[in-house]
Amino acid sequence: MKQLFNRSICALAVTTALTTSVAAFAAEDAKKKEAGLEHIEVTARKSMENLQTVPVAVTSIGESELAENGISVMTEVQRFSPNTTLQTSRGTNSTLTAFIRGVGQQDPLWGYEPGVGIYIDDVYLARPQGAVIDLLDVERIEVLRGPQGTLYGKNTIGGAVKYITKPMSGETEFNIQGTLGSYNQKDLKLTGQIPLASDKLYLGFGHAQLNRDGFGEFLTSALDNQDKENYNKDLSASRLTLEYRASEDLFMRLAWDKTKDTSNAKGGYRLLPSLLTDAPVPDSVYDSYTSMPTSNLVELEGLSFMIDWQATDALSLKYITSSRESYSDTNIDFDNTSLDIFDVPAFYDDENTSHEIQANYIGDGYSIVSGIYAYDGESCGHFDAILGFLGRAAFGVPGLTREVTGCNNSESVAAYIQSSIDLTEQLSLTVGARYTKEEKDAIVNNGLAFTNVYPESGWIPGYDRGDVSFPQVLGTDTDGDGILDAPKSKDWSRFTPRVGLEYQVDDDTMVFASYSQGFKSGTFNPRASSNEGAANPEIVDSIELGIKKDWNDVLRTNITLFSLDHKDRQYITVTPDPNDATVLNQNLGNIKGSTVKGIETEITYAATDNLRLDMSFGYLDGEIEDDPTIATPLVGLSNTPDYTLSLAANYTLDTELGYFVLNGGYYYRDDYLLFEDSDSLLQEGYGTVNASVTWESQEGNWYGGLHLKNLTDEEAMVGGYSFTVKNDDGTYTPGLGGDNTLIAYFNDPRTVHLTVGYRF
């Protein structure tokens, strides 16, 4: 397949790639459907614009397309957007791994900043825990590729993913939807809205209860009476929204949401048999072993308030404030055996508040988007790296634990402005900039105990915390007594510009060129074992050339060429000390960086009034610069295939029985590494096939859908751990804990589910 891609890349890139931003329309829209291409509105530049006039590489997936493909979770959106990785990470079912154009963040530990920003109604989600969002009351999802440093700020160096909920219609509405599927899937969603004051005040609500048995099982666990399902799902999500339309010009919205995920901790698949205990390679990639409880908890809750005021015909003002908090209690068995070779129970506790004031102005021949943004966040955590077997075997002690606790706190303020100026009737200039100032402080407590130490005791007989103290190793000595007693702090500031030219060739054709910059905040090492300094921010410089064109309202071709230079990449290594088996070295610093260039093409063809064909294609060529400070040479970008390809067909039928939409698609991801410093976890290229049939009654109240996903049952790695060394002769040298710990987590297997709903 890879050779085929190499021979035909030019043809694919120019003539056969097609967009996923326009796909099937829902049956309710089919009744009023007209021939030709759909008009799509997006808010990629923080104002409502036509997709075809926005000089940004953006994919928009609307409510109807999500429903017709049976998409219920945000990670499935990756197949619609080229050069995009959105996958469930290791350890839990709710932790997100996000990369766009080879830029992201793999390590989900507290204090590390993401490289792709996730937003719910313009509110930033700061942590990857819980970012695998289940879709409820969604209007559309926008994927913005490339750095968005001017309008969206820090930590969008790869791009941004925007989850946009549906506005209320003002009418009384109620919708109930149930789903039954593979692995005893049982989902129930209730949504609706009630006018409290006619044409003024509305209350919206939504609740989802999502349950599914595991794809596999834990063959061993710490407690016999524990649930041994692996890759199961037990999640509830709720939303309440109060909207007040004081006048035609003034709108307010108060929104609350809460998610609770009690699915089991996710167990990894041993790719190598254990050397220390009876743990052969399981028969199923979804089976695992563990010496820990299987319980896991992820809780998220948020409150936001927005005021939107159309002050004049030209000036609009918006204020958005939010408060969010999340908590995770997880048990991660790195070695995945019934022995305490490398067990990591952990807690994460995060909370943040944000405020943003936006001012948009439309003048004669120009427009301005501007704002002020403030963010205050606290991210804390606690984990115990338990190497009990090593302690008993090597030192004759009851166990061995490296405990790490700490907090990374951040205060950030920013001001931004971006203007589009008409130079002629066809040529316009976009120029913008953002200034950000951020201060961080951090503490880390790190110590060693010659016993097994757990955050909670009782489930391991005979193992107790005892009288153990762990000293602060990262911080400030305020009184000069040689003891760290306060956080360590550092601040950074950055000016991130954007400049571009857009030329409207005709009503249906726009070409653009742009330069933009983004930065990812500097940070302290949350695993520090010494009083080290902070890593510097990452900087991405990006150049894009693109064309967006509609051909006779039948064919849409959106093509973007891009090149980016990723400087001062923060790089983390976790290695055992060769001179002391009780020490786990973790180093955080900056390497020179990496370069990526590539192409993205999205094309839609409205073949007939009823048939639509879609394809998207992404290609990138990434290279990491040689850096003598890295002991182990980096071999490639992680979580970044050279090629992504999506093909889809959508056919609509209007019959006496109702409106049917038939949808089928193929999605291909080329080879990719899970870790940049090793090819031990290399996923070979694979493709998945999906098919759906959706239906709506003539009256529009009843609807349903049958969805078949991953029909060929492809197994692909989406996460893992590597604590072993692969030798030139193909053998392995044991790593931390003395075992061959090479672990992988996999995508969902083949599933089928049936959804039926009723609305009024």
Side-chain angles (χ1 to χ4, degrees), residues 368-621:
I368 297 174
V369 177
S370 61
I372 299 172
Y373 179 80
Y375 172 88
D376 186 356
E378 181 178 282
S379 181
C380 299
H382 171 172
F383 72 83
D384 291 313
I386 298 166
L387 308 168
F389 179 84
L390 177 63
R392 294 188 296 274
F395 306 104
V397 295
L400 185 64
T401 301
R402 172 70 64 177
E403 180 171 279
V404 179
T405 64
C407 292
N408 271 259
N409 304 325
S410 172
E411 293 185 5
S412 179
V413 294
Y416 61 89
I417 184 169
Q418 181 167 294
S419 179
S420 293
I421 306 166
D422 294 337
L423 302 178
T424 70
E425 289 186 358
Q426 294 175 289
L427 181 65
S428 62
L429 169 70
T430 296
V431 59
R434 188 184 190 105
Y435 177 79
T436 303
K437 184 171 183 179
E438 177 159 13
E439 180 177 357
K440 284 192 175 180
D441 62 63
I443 61 171
V444 175
N445 297 297
N446 192 327
L448 189 68
F450 289 94
T451 185
N452 282 11
V453 176
Y454 296 89
E456 296 181 0
S457 60
W459 55 270
I460 299 295
Y463 291 164
D464 202 338
R465 277 191 70 94
D467 184 15
V468 182
S469 62
F470 298 97
Q472 185 173 333
V473 298
L474 189 145
T476 302
D477 179 7
T478 59
D479 53 15
D481 62 358
I483 299 176
L484 304 178
D485 55 8
K488 194 166 190 174
S489 64
K490 187 174 178 61
D491 61 79
W492 300 269
S493 59
R494 188 74 191 181
F495 173 82
T496 49
R498 179 182 179 88
V499 61
L501 285 172
E502 303 88 46
Y503 186 72
Q504 196 72 39
V505 180
D506 53 43
D507 291 343
D508 299 317
T509 310
M510 188 264 287
V511 295
F512 66 92
S514 67
Y515 162 79
S516 61
Q517 187 180 88
F519 97 106
K520 175 181 168 182
S521 177
T523 193
F524 290 97
N525 184 359
R527 296 191 187 92
S529 55
S530 63
N531 199 19
E532 62 183 87
N536 294 324
E538 300 182 14
I539 308 298
V540 171
D541 292 296
S542 175
I543 296 175
E544 292 188 6
L545 300 172
I547 180 171
K548 296 188 175 184
K549 182 173 179 60
D550 288 351
W551 305 76
N552 298 321
D553 201 31
V554 172
L555 178 67
R556 173 169 293 160
T557 58
N558 294 344
I559 303 174
T560 306
L561 299 169
F562 65 89
S563 174
L564 62 86
D565 185 8
H566 189 178
K567 303 184 185 72
D568 290 327
R569 291 180 61 234
Q570 296 165 10
Y571 186 69
I572 308 139
T573 58
V574 183
T575 58
D577 190 316
N579 301 314
D580 187 349
T582 68
V583 175
L584 182 64
N585 288 331
Q586 195 270 13
N587 303 303
L588 174 63
N590 298 88
I591 62 174
K592 289 182 179 179
S594 58
T595 57
V596 177
K597 56 181 180 292
I599 187 171
E600 293 160 352
T601 58
E602 301 178 291
I603 302 174
T604 293
Y605 176 46
T608 70
D609 290 355
N610 301 95
L611 177 63
R612 181 167 302 199
L613 304 175
D614 301 294
M615 183 172 70
S616 69
F617 174 76
Y619 165 77
L620 58 78
D621 179 15

Side-chain angles (χ1 to χ4, degrees), residues 58 98 204 269 308 317 361 457 471 491 505 655 662 697:
V58 55
Y269 173 73
D308 192 352
L317 301 173
Y361 187 82
S457 60
D491 61 79
V505 180
T655 74
L662 287 70
S697 66

Side-chain angles (χ1 to χ4, degrees), residues 14-50:
V14 177
T15 64
T16 60
L18 51 57
T19 188
T20 56
S21 62
V22 183
F25 40 85
E28 58 184 325
D29 295 328
K31 289 176 279 190
K32 49 191 176 184
K33 173 180 178 281
E34 297 178 359
L37 300 170
E38 183 181 356
H39 179 86
I40 300 174
E41 298 286 336
V42 297
T43 56
R45 297 197 295 178
K46 294 199 172 181
S47 60
M48 192 66 74
E49 298 176 282
N50 181 357

Side-chain angles (χ1 to χ4, degrees), residues 188-321:
L188 179 65
K189 293 183 179 181
L190 302 172
T191 58
Q193 55 183 282
I194 303 170
L196 301 180
S198 180
D199 299 326
K200 291 288 185 182
L201 186 64
Y202 321 105
L203 176 66
F205 58 88
H207 179 76
Q209 197 69 43
L210 311 175
N211 301 92
R212 187 198 65 227
D213 292 346
F215 300 143
E217 63 178 328
F218 286 96
L219 304 176
T220 62
S221 70
L223 302 175
D224 291 337
N225 60 350
Q226 282 263 305
D227 183 358
K228 291 185 172 59
E229 289 185 294
N230 195 18
Y231 290 80
N232 70 324
K233 189 167 190 175
D234 189 355
L235 182 146
S236 63
S238 302
R239 292 180 61 87
L240 285 174
T241 305
L242 189 65
E243 293 185 354
Y244 178 54
R245 189 166 296 281
S247 66
E248 291 184 0
D249 301 323
L250 183 61
F251 175 76
M252 304 179 192
R253 181 175 63 204
L254 179 67
W256 168 86
D257 67 90
K258 184 173 183 178
T259 300
K260 184 175 183 179
D261 185 358
T262 57
S263 310
N264 289 346
K266 188 188 293 185
Y269 173 73
R270 287 195 63 91
L271 295 165
L272 300 172
S274 173
L275 302 175
L276 303 179
T277 188
D278 182 21
V281 175
D283 293 335
S284 168
V285 297
Y286 304 105
D287 287 348
S288 186
Y289 312 91
T290 185
S291 58
M292 304 179 70
T294 61
S295 57
N296 187 80
L297 171 66
V298 179
E299 288 186 299
L300 303 99
E301 188 169 7
L303 185 68
S304 66
F305 178 64
M306 184 267 286
I307 302 176
D308 192 352
W309 180 36
Q310 190 69 42
T312 70
D313 289 344
L315 175 65
S316 63
L317 301 173
K318 181 184 290 187
Y319 170 66
I320 304 170
T321 183

